[in-house]
Every structure is written in structure tokens, then in C-alpha cells.
Amino acid sequence: MKTAIAIAAHPDDIELMMAGTLLLLKNAGYEIHYLNIASGNCGSTTWSSDETKRIRLQEAKNAAQILGAHFHHPFCDDLEILYDANILRKVAAIIRDVKPTIVLTHSPEDYMEDHVNAARLAVTAVFARGMANFSTDPPRLGDNYDCTVYHSLPHTLTDNFRKRIVPGAFVDTTSVHEKKLEALKAHKSQQHWLDVSQKMNSYLQTMEDIALKVGEMSKVFKYAEGWRRHQHVGFCAEDADPLRVLAQDYLINKDYEASLDTL
Ligand SMILES: [Zn+2]
């Protein structure tokens, strides 16, 4: 069976930006996997780190269950997703176990460095999937096969210089929007925290607003997620674009394609 994995930084990131596409891939016959690299331990102003970690682990497991995704345990704390070999070996072991042909991850430009580093770790873990001399933690044998990496839009839909990021393709998430919302609701602890810390007056409303805005950008869909496909060298065939399996729910952004430069 073909597999797809979403690799994000924190509990609830997948639900905010990637879960619609993941759900549609499941409907298309993919086995889907869910990894937050960090525990979410900083996501509270009232509970201790350990308490927050415990609560958010359960919430993330519940969310993965709602999505029907295989859950992978986080292995570091918030603000500690560093681009280092120890974390990379752990992400790479999961890639070798899961053998995804589609990897969904954060935008390489995003408002939080944890997101940026999660994206970089996901990219290199895939790049190293067949490198026999790169040892993973736990040790896993490598395998060279085609795997395509897609970057989600940043939560703000802009880069850090406030410029809009234009996706290369849109996925119509309207049919799975309710399920995506249900999975996001599993992260109950985040309602208060995001109010206080990031002025997201409701994290549920934030997801709704983002999905509507991306839908509007598509000019076709009500709710959408946007993706930029990572270039192919070291990953897959040049024209590989496996999200095409989503058929009528997948829309290539022709303006983006037209703006691309080739050698
Ligand atoms: Zn995050």
C-alpha cells in the first residue's frame, strides 16, 4: 500500500494546514501517517512543561485517531527543533520505516523557526532515505525510491517579509473540512493558550479563515490547502506530482507554473 506522511513541528500544526490533504489521500487509498516532531510543552501559561506535554500528547493521539492516521511519537520539546544530526536521525528512521511516497511538511518560510527547521529536517530525512552510510536512530536500512515532498503554506500565508506565498497547487478540502475541524478540536488545551499568546482569538476560527482564504486564492474551491512541490533532484522523477491522485480535488496553479524557470 502507498503511504503518505505529514511531518509538522507541534501538535495542531497538521490540523491547521495539512490535514485536509491527508484525509483526501486516505480516501484515495493511501495509508496515512502523522508526526509532530515537538511535544507542544510550551503551549500553556498555566500548566508545567511535563503536564502540558502529557495533555498535548493525548490530544495529538486523539486527533490522529480522528484522522485515521498512524501516530508517531514526538521526540523533542518546543523551540528545540534544531537542525541537528540527533533529531535528523530520528526523523530519517521514521521515513525508512514508513517509506512514504508523499511527504507533507511545513513551508520553508514560516513565522516560527520550529516550523522552518521541521521542514528542513523532513527534506533531509527523505533525501537520506537510501544513503547506507547515514545511520538512523533507531537503525534502519535505507531504500532508494521516488518520494515527493510538498510544502504547505505558512500559517500567515506570507513569508517573514510579509509577502504572500503563492502555492503551486491547491487541494479542495471542502468535502473533508468538517473532519479536519473535528481533529483540530481534539487540541482542546490550545483554545486559551493561543488567545493569550498569539491573539488567535479562536484557533478553530483561524483554521476556518485560512482554509477560506486559500479557497479564495484558488478561485474555484470553497475551502482549500495550498502546496508548493519541492524540486525533484535527489527525491523523484522531474515530473512526479503524486498529489494528482486527488483528481478533481487537485488544481495546478497555472500562473505559478508559468512563472517557473528551467535550465
Ligand atoms: Zn507550530
Side-chain angles (χ1 to χ4, degrees):
M1 182 185 264
K2 288 194 168 179
T3 58
I5 185 169
I7 300 178
H10 312 109
D12 79 8
D13 283 332
I14 289 175
E15 291 76 5
L16 279 165
M17 304 305 294
M18 313 176 195
T21 302
L22 206 55
L23 282 164
L24 289 167
L25 283 169
K26 186 177 170 68
N27 291 347
Y30 277 70
E31 180 180 286
I32 59 171
H33 291 252
Y34 175 109
L35 168 65
N36 304 314
I37 295 176
S39 64
N41 71 310
C42 290
S44 171
T45 49
T46 46
W47 301 310
S48 70
S49 171
D50 281 351
E51 180 83 347
T52 308
K53 213 186 289 197
R54 188 184 60 72
I55 290 167
R56 299 198 70 189
L57 177 63
Q58 191 54 54
E59 289 175 348
K61 282 183 176 174
N62 294 346
Q65 192 173 27
I66 289 166
L67 296 173
H70 294 262
F71 180 82
H72 296 269
H73 210 284
F75 34 73
C76 70
D77 284 334
D78 293 1
L79 307 184
E80 295 179 24
I81 304 183
L82 305 178
Y83 188 80
D84 77 11
N86 291 332
I87 298 180
L88 180 59
R89 290 188 204 291
K90 291 189 164 86
V91 181
I94 291 173
I95 292 291
R96 290 183 185 185
D97 272 343
V98 172
K99 290 193 173 46
T101 50
I102 296 176
V103 172
L104 308 176
T105 189
H106 284 291
S107 169
E109 302 102 354
D110 209 330
Y111 79 107
M112 241 205 113
E113 293 297 317
D114 273 356
H115 295 184
V116 174
N117 288 336
R120 296 182 67 203
L121 287 159
V123 165
T124 306
V126 176
F127 194 84
R129 68 201 178 288
M131 290 180 179
N133 290 346
F134 182 74
S135 52
T136 64
D137 175 18
R140 292 288 184 268
L141 287 178
D143 184 12
N144 261 320
Y145 64 93
D146 271 17
C147 178
T148 306
V149 178
Y150 294 88
H151 296 278
S152 75
L153 293 174
H155 291 200
T156 57
L157 307 182
T158 68
D159 67 16
N160 288 334
F161 307 99
R162 299 169 291 142
K163 285 187 78 169
R164 171 62 51 84
I165 301 273
V166 177
F170 298 94
V171 170
D172 180 3
T173 56
T174 311
S175 67
V176 290
H177 187 73
E178 281 307 310
K179 183 73 110 182
K180 184 176 163 180
L181 198 61
E182 196 191 327
L184 185 59
K185 277 183 188 163
H187 301 277
K188 292 189 190 83
S189 66
Q190 293 309 284
Q191 177 68 63
H192 177 66
W193 154 250
L194 290 174
D195 281 0
V196 175
S197 69
Q198 289 165 48
K199 305 290 177 240
M200 292 191 186
N201 49 10
S202 159
Y203 72 123
L204 302 175
Q205 188 61 47
T206 298
M207 192 278 272
E208 181 84 11
D209 292 346
I210 293 171
L212 276 173
K213 184 70 194 173
V214 180
E216 190 184 300
M217 286 161 69
S218 77
K219 301 190 182 82
V220 184
F221 306 136
K222 181 176 182 199
Y223 294 110
E225 290 171 353
W227 297 100
R228 286 187 296 168
R229 176 156 54 97
H230 201 93
Q231 65 79 32
H232 69 286
V233 180
F235 298 92
C236 55
E238 186 168 6
D239 58 353
D241 189 4
L243 282 184
R244 285 176 191 273
V245 72
L246 302 180
Q248 77 278 2
D249 291 330
Y250 190 57
L251 177 70
I252 304 282
N253 183 353
K254 295 221 167 60
D255 293 342
Y256 181 95
E257 288 290 321
S259 73
L260 299 176
D261 221 348
T262 49
L263 283 176

PDB file of all heavy atoms in Angstrom, residues 39-49 52-53 56 59 78 189-194 197-198:
ATOM      1  N   SER A  39       6.884  18.235  21.324  1.00  0.00           N
ATOM      2  CA  SER A  39       5.850  17.786  22.262  1.00  0.00           C
ATOM      3  C   SER A  39       4.726  18.790  22.486  1.00  0.00           C
ATOM      4  O   SER A  39       3.680  18.438  22.990  1.00  0.00           O
ATOM      5  CB  SER A  39       6.508  17.498  23.611  1.00  0.00           C
ATOM      6  OG  SER A  39       7.059  18.717  24.142  1.00  0.00           O
ATOM      7  N   GLY A  40       4.981  20.065  22.177  1.00  0.00           N
ATOM      8  CA  GLY A  40       3.984  21.091  22.492  1.00  0.00           C
ATOM      9  C   GLY A  40       4.078  21.568  23.931  1.00  0.00           C
ATOM     10  O   GLY A  40       3.159  22.217  24.437  1.00  0.00           O
ATOM     11  N   ASN A  41       5.220  21.292  24.602  1.00  0.00           N
ATOM     12  CA  ASN A  41       5.318  21.555  26.053  1.00  0.00           C
ATOM     13  C   ASN A  41       5.252  23.035  26.440  1.00  0.00           C
ATOM     14  O   ASN A  41       5.007  23.357  27.588  1.00  0.00           O
ATOM     15  CB  ASN A  41       6.614  20.949  26.621  1.00  0.00           C
ATOM     16  CG  ASN A  41       7.842  21.716  26.155  1.00  0.00           C
ATOM     17  OD1 ASN A  41       8.002  21.967  24.964  1.00  0.00           O
ATOM     18  ND2 ASN A  41       8.703  22.090  27.070  1.00  0.00           N
ATOM     19  N   CYS A  42       5.505  23.935  25.450  1.00  0.00           N
ATOM     20  CA  CYS A  42       5.452  25.371  25.785  1.00  0.00           C
ATOM     21  C   CYS A  42       4.060  25.965  25.555  1.00  0.00           C
ATOM     22  O   CYS A  42       3.864  27.165  25.760  1.00  0.00           O
ATOM     23  CB  CYS A  42       6.481  26.149  24.964  1.00  0.00           C
ATOM     24  SG  CYS A  42       8.167  25.793  25.464  1.00  0.00           S
ATOM     25  N   GLY A  43       3.120  25.148  25.145  1.00  0.00           N
ATOM     26  CA  GLY A  43       1.811  25.665  24.769  1.00  0.00           C
ATOM     27  C   GLY A  43       0.851  25.843  25.928  1.00  0.00           C
ATOM     28  O   GLY A  43      -0.326  25.470  25.839  1.00  0.00           O
ATOM     29  N   SER A  44       1.329  26.418  27.021  1.00  0.00           N
ATOM     30  CA  SER A  44       0.447  26.687  28.160  1.00  0.00           C
ATOM     31  C   SER A  44       1.040  27.791  29.027  1.00  0.00           C
ATOM     32  O   SER A  44       2.257  27.900  29.155  1.00  0.00           O
ATOM     33  CB  SER A  44       0.273  25.417  29.004  1.00  0.00           C
ATOM     34  OG  SER A  44      -0.394  25.733  30.207  1.00  0.00           O
ATOM     35  N   THR A  45       0.162  28.594  29.610  1.00  0.00           N
ATOM     36  CA  THR A  45       0.632  29.597  30.570  1.00  0.00           C
ATOM     37  C   THR A  45       0.321  29.155  31.999  1.00  0.00           C
ATOM     38  O   THR A  45       0.693  29.825  32.950  1.00  0.00           O
ATOM     39  CB  THR A  45      -0.079  30.954  30.338  1.00  0.00           C
ATOM     40  OG1 THR A  45      -1.486  30.718  30.250  1.00  0.00           O
ATOM     41  CG2 THR A  45       0.401  31.628  29.068  1.00  0.00           C
ATOM     42  N   THR A  46      -0.363  28.036  32.147  1.00  0.00           N
ATOM     43  CA  THR A  46      -0.791  27.623  33.485  1.00  0.00           C
ATOM     44  C   THR A  46      -0.182  26.286  33.930  1.00  0.00           C
ATOM     45  O   THR A  46       0.201  26.134  35.080  1.00  0.00           O
ATOM     46  CB  THR A  46      -2.325  27.495  33.549  1.00  0.00           C
ATOM     47  OG1 THR A  46      -2.759  26.770  32.403  1.00  0.00           O
ATOM     48  CG2 THR A  46      -2.984  28.862  33.552  1.00  0.00           C
ATOM     49  N   TRP A  47      -0.063  25.345  33.040  1.00  0.00           N
ATOM     50  CA  TRP A  47       0.466  24.031  33.433  1.00  0.00           C
ATOM     51  C   TRP A  47       1.983  24.000  33.298  1.00  0.00           C
ATOM     52  O   TRP A  47       2.570  24.749  32.498  1.00  0.00           O
ATOM     53  CB  TRP A  47      -0.134  22.928  32.558  1.00  0.00           C
ATOM     54  CG  TRP A  47      -1.624  22.853  32.618  1.00  0.00           C
ATOM     55  CD1 TRP A  47      -2.389  22.809  33.750  1.00  0.00           C
ATOM     56  CD2 TRP A  47      -2.517  22.828  31.508  1.00  0.00           C
ATOM     57  NE1 TRP A  47      -3.721  22.740  33.405  1.00  0.00           N
ATOM     58  CE2 TRP A  47      -3.829  22.744  32.043  1.00  0.00           C
ATOM     59  CE3 TRP A  47      -2.361  22.839  30.131  1.00  0.00           C
ATOM     60  CZ2 TRP A  47      -4.963  22.692  31.235  1.00  0.00           C
ATOM     61  CZ3 TRP A  47      -3.475  22.782  29.325  1.00  0.00           C
ATOM     62  CH2 TRP A  47      -4.766  22.720  29.864  1.00  0.00           C
ATOM     63  N   SER A  48       2.601  23.068  34.021  1.00  0.00           N
ATOM     64  CA  SER A  48       4.051  22.865  33.901  1.00  0.00           C
ATOM     65  C   SER A  48       4.359  22.250  32.538  1.00  0.00           C
ATOM     66  O   SER A  48       3.465  21.786  31.822  1.00  0.00           O
ATOM     67  CB  SER A  48       4.523  21.907  35.002  1.00  0.00           C
ATOM     68  OG  SER A  48       4.020  20.608  34.719  1.00  0.00           O
ATOM     69  N   SER A  49       5.640  22.227  32.220  1.00  0.00           N
ATOM     70  CA  SER A  49       6.082  21.628  30.958  1.00  0.00           C
ATOM     71  C   SER A  49       5.639  20.163  30.860  1.00  0.00           C
ATOM     72  O   SER A  49       5.076  19.732  29.852  1.00  0.00           O
ATOM     73  CB  SER A  49       7.607  21.742  30.864  1.00  0.00           C
ATOM     74  OG  SER A  49       8.085  20.999  29.781  1.00  0.00           O
ATOM     75  N   THR A  52       1.834  19.868  30.503  1.00  0.00           N
ATOM     76  CA  THR A  52       1.403  20.296  29.169  1.00  0.00           C
ATOM     77  C   THR A  52       1.732  19.215  28.140  1.00  0.00           C
ATOM     78  O   THR A  52       0.929  18.883  27.269  1.00  0.00           O
ATOM     79  CB  THR A  52       2.104  21.619  28.785  1.00  0.00           C
ATOM     80  OG1 THR A  52       1.898  22.557  29.831  1.00  0.00           O
ATOM     81  CG2 THR A  52       1.551  22.181  27.494  1.00  0.00           C
ATOM     82  N   LYS A  53       2.923  18.660  28.289  1.00  0.00           N
ATOM     83  CA  LYS A  53       3.379  17.610  27.370  1.00  0.00           C
ATOM     84  C   LYS A  53       2.429  16.410  27.413  1.00  0.00           C
ATOM     85  O   LYS A  53       2.041  15.864  26.389  1.00  0.00           O
ATOM     86  CB  LYS A  53       4.777  17.176  27.828  1.00  0.00           C
ATOM     87  CG  LYS A  53       5.691  16.758  26.713  1.00  0.00           C
ATOM     88  CD  LYS A  53       7.001  16.215  27.241  1.00  0.00           C
ATOM     89  CE  LYS A  53       7.917  17.244  27.860  1.00  0.00           C
ATOM     90  NZ  LYS A  53       9.295  16.745  27.993  1.00  0.00           N
ATOM     91  N   ARG A  56      -1.002  17.335  25.875  1.00  0.00           N
ATOM     92  CA  ARG A  56      -0.957  17.524  24.422  1.00  0.00           C
ATOM     93  C   ARG A  56      -0.638  16.235  23.667  1.00  0.00           C
ATOM     94  O   ARG A  56      -1.041  16.065  22.521  1.00  0.00           O
ATOM     95  CB  ARG A  56       0.002  18.652  24.070  1.00  0.00           C
ATOM     96  CG  ARG A  56      -0.456  19.979  24.708  1.00  0.00           C
ATOM     97  CD  ARG A  56       0.165  21.170  24.077  1.00  0.00           C
ATOM     98  NE  ARG A  56      -0.347  21.400  22.727  1.00  0.00           N
ATOM     99  CZ  ARG A  56       0.170  22.292  21.893  1.00  0.00           C
ATOM    100  NH1 ARG A  56       1.216  23.011  22.255  1.00  0.00           N
ATOM    101  NH2 ARG A  56      -0.340  22.452  20.689  1.00  0.00           N
ATOM    102  N   GLU A  59      -3.979  14.671  23.359  1.00  0.00           N
ATOM    103  CA  GLU A  59      -4.777  15.396  22.356  1.00  0.00           C
ATOM    104  C   GLU A  59      -4.331  15.046  20.936  1.00  0.00           C
ATOM    105  O   GLU A  59      -5.158  14.851  20.045  1.00  0.00           O
ATOM    106  CB  GLU A  59      -4.642  16.914  22.577  1.00  0.00           C
ATOM    107  CG  GLU A  59      -5.351  17.410  23.832  1.00  0.00           C
ATOM    108  CD  GLU A  59      -5.103  18.895  24.118  1.00  0.00           C
ATOM    109  OE1 GLU A  59      -4.208  19.493  23.485  1.00  0.00           O
ATOM    110  OE2 GLU A  59      -5.797  19.452  24.978  1.00  0.00           O
ATOM    111  N   ASP A  78       9.367  22.015  22.444  1.00  0.00           N
ATOM    112  CA  ASP A  78       9.150  23.228  21.652  1.00  0.00           C
ATOM    113  C   ASP A  78      10.381  24.142  21.718  1.00  0.00           C
ATOM    114  O   ASP A  78      11.037  24.240  22.768  1.00  0.00           O
ATOM    115  CB  ASP A  78       7.942  24.002  22.186  1.00  0.00           C
ATOM    116  CG  ASP A  78       6.634  23.247  21.974  1.00  0.00           C
ATOM    117  OD1 ASP A  78       6.660  22.126  21.447  1.00  0.00           O
ATOM    118  OD2 ASP A  78       5.572  23.787  22.359  1.00  0.00           O
ATOM    119  N   SER A 189      -6.690  22.051  24.675  1.00  0.00           N
ATOM    120  CA  SER A 189      -5.872  22.911  25.546  1.00  0.00           C
ATOM    121  C   SER A 189      -5.431  24.184  24.839  1.00  0.00           C
ATOM    122  O   SER A 189      -5.002  25.127  25.492  1.00  0.00           O
ATOM    123  CB  SER A 189      -4.638  22.140  26.018  1.00  0.00           C
ATOM    124  OG  SER A 189      -3.794  21.862  24.910  1.00  0.00           O
ATOM    125  N   GLN A 190      -5.539  24.204  23.515  1.00  0.00           N
ATOM    126  CA  GLN A 190      -4.970  25.323  22.778  1.00  0.00           C
ATOM    127  C   GLN A 190      -5.881  26.536  22.660  1.00  0.00           C
ATOM    128  O   GLN A 190      -5.438  27.615  22.281  1.00  0.00           O
ATOM    129  CB  GLN A 190      -4.542  24.856  21.389  1.00  0.00           C
ATOM    130  CG  GLN A 190      -3.389  23.891  21.468  1.00  0.00           C
ATOM    131  CD  GLN A 190      -2.262  24.443  22.333  1.00  0.00           C
ATOM    132  OE1 GLN A 190      -1.525  25.316  21.907  1.00  0.00           O
ATOM    133  NE2 GLN A 190      -2.143  23.961  23.565  1.00  0.00           N
ATOM    134  N   GLN A 191      -7.139  26.360  23.006  1.00  0.00           N
ATOM    135  CA  GLN A 191      -8.053  27.483  22.875  1.00  0.00           C
ATOM    136  C   GLN A 191      -7.563  28.686  23.686  1.00  0.00           C
ATOM    137  O   GLN A 191      -7.338  29.761  23.155  1.00  0.00           O
ATOM    138  CB  GLN A 191      -9.459  27.062  23.333  1.00  0.00           C
ATOM    139  CG  GLN A 191     -10.479  28.180  23.309  1.00  0.00           C
ATOM    140  CD  GLN A 191     -10.804  28.639  21.881  1.00  0.00           C
ATOM    141  OE1 GLN A 191     -11.319  27.871  21.081  1.00  0.00           O
ATOM    142  NE2 GLN A 191     -10.476  29.876  21.562  1.00  0.00           N
ATOM    143  N   HIS A 192      -7.315  28.472  24.972  1.00  0.00           N
ATOM    144  CA  HIS A 192      -6.929  29.579  25.845  1.00  0.00           C
ATOM    145  C   HIS A 192      -5.523  30.080  25.525  1.00  0.00           C
ATOM    146  O   HIS A 192      -5.264  31.268  25.395  1.00  0.00           O
ATOM    147  CB  HIS A 192      -7.005  29.135  27.302  1.00  0.00           C
ATOM    148  CG  HIS A 192      -6.545  30.198  28.255  1.00  0.00           C
ATOM    149  ND1 HIS A 192      -7.227  31.385  28.409  1.00  0.00           N
ATOM    150  CD2 HIS A 192      -5.454  30.276  29.061  1.00  0.00           C
ATOM    151  CE1 HIS A 192      -6.582  32.141  29.279  1.00  0.00           C
ATOM    152  NE2 HIS A 192      -5.499  31.495  29.686  1.00  0.00           N
ATOM    153  N   TRP A 193      -4.610  29.143  25.331  1.00  0.00           N
ATOM    154  CA  TRP A 193      -3.195  29.488  25.100  1.00  0.00           C
ATOM    155  C   TRP A 193      -3.025  30.375  23.863  1.00  0.00           C
ATOM    156  O   TRP A 193      -2.324  31.386  23.896  1.00  0.00           O
ATOM    157  CB  TRP A 193      -2.385  28.201  24.982  1.00  0.00           C
ATOM    158  CG  TRP A 193      -1.147  28.319  24.174  1.00  0.00           C
ATOM    159  CD1 TRP A 193      -0.911  27.779  22.946  1.00  0.00           C
ATOM    160  CD2 TRP A 193       0.061  29.018  24.535  1.00  0.00           C
ATOM    161  NE1 TRP A 193       0.341  28.100  22.518  1.00  0.00           N
ATOM    162  CE2 TRP A 193       0.965  28.869  23.477  1.00  0.00           C
ATOM    163  CE3 TRP A 193       0.451  29.759  25.645  1.00  0.00           C
ATOM    164  CZ2 TRP A 193       2.239  29.416  23.481  1.00  0.00           C
ATOM    165  CZ3 TRP A 193       1.720  30.310  25.653  1.00  0.00           C
ATOM    166  CH2 TRP A 193       2.595  30.141  24.591  1.00  0.00           C
ATOM    167  N   LEU A 194      -3.664  30.034  22.792  1.00  0.00           N
ATOM    168  CA  LEU A 194      -3.485  30.824  21.566  1.00  0.00           C
ATOM    169  C   LEU A 194      -4.174  32.179  21.673  1.00  0.00           C
ATOM    170  O   LEU A 194      -3.712  33.156  21.106  1.00  0.00           O
ATOM    171  CB  LEU A 194      -3.983  30.041  20.345  1.00  0.00           C
ATOM    172  CG  LEU A 194      -3.101  28.849  19.974  1.00  0.00           C
ATOM    173  CD1 LEU A 194      -3.729  28.021  18.855  1.00  0.00           C
ATOM    174  CD2 LEU A 194      -1.704  29.283  19.565  1.00  0.00           C
ATOM    175  N   SER A 197      -1.442  34.114  23.873  1.00  0.00           N
ATOM    176  CA  SER A 197      -0.079  34.288  23.375  1.00  0.00           C
ATOM    177  C   SER A 197       0.006  34.846  21.977  1.00  0.00           C
ATOM    178  O   SER A 197       0.929  35.572  21.645  1.00  0.00           O
ATOM    179  CB  SER A 197       0.652  32.948  23.410  1.00  0.00           C
ATOM    180  OG  SER A 197       0.100  32.085  22.438  1.00  0.00           O
ATOM    181  N   GLN A 198      -0.936  34.492  21.116  1.00  0.00           N
ATOM    182  CA  GLN A 198      -0.746  34.858  19.712  1.00  0.00           C
ATOM    183  C   GLN A 198      -1.952  35.549  19.104  1.00  0.00           C
ATOM    184  O   GLN A 198      -2.056  35.676  17.888  1.00  0.00           O
ATOM    185  CB  GLN A 198      -0.336  33.610  18.916  1.00  0.00           C
ATOM    186  CG  GLN A 198       1.083  33.184  19.270  1.00  0.00           C
ATOM    187  CD  GLN A 198       1.429  31.785  18.823  1.00  0.00           C
ATOM    188  OE1 GLN A 198       1.189  31.419  17.683  1.00  0.00           O
ATOM    189  NE2 GLN A 198       1.975  30.988  19.718  1.00  0.00           N
TER     190      GLN A 198
END
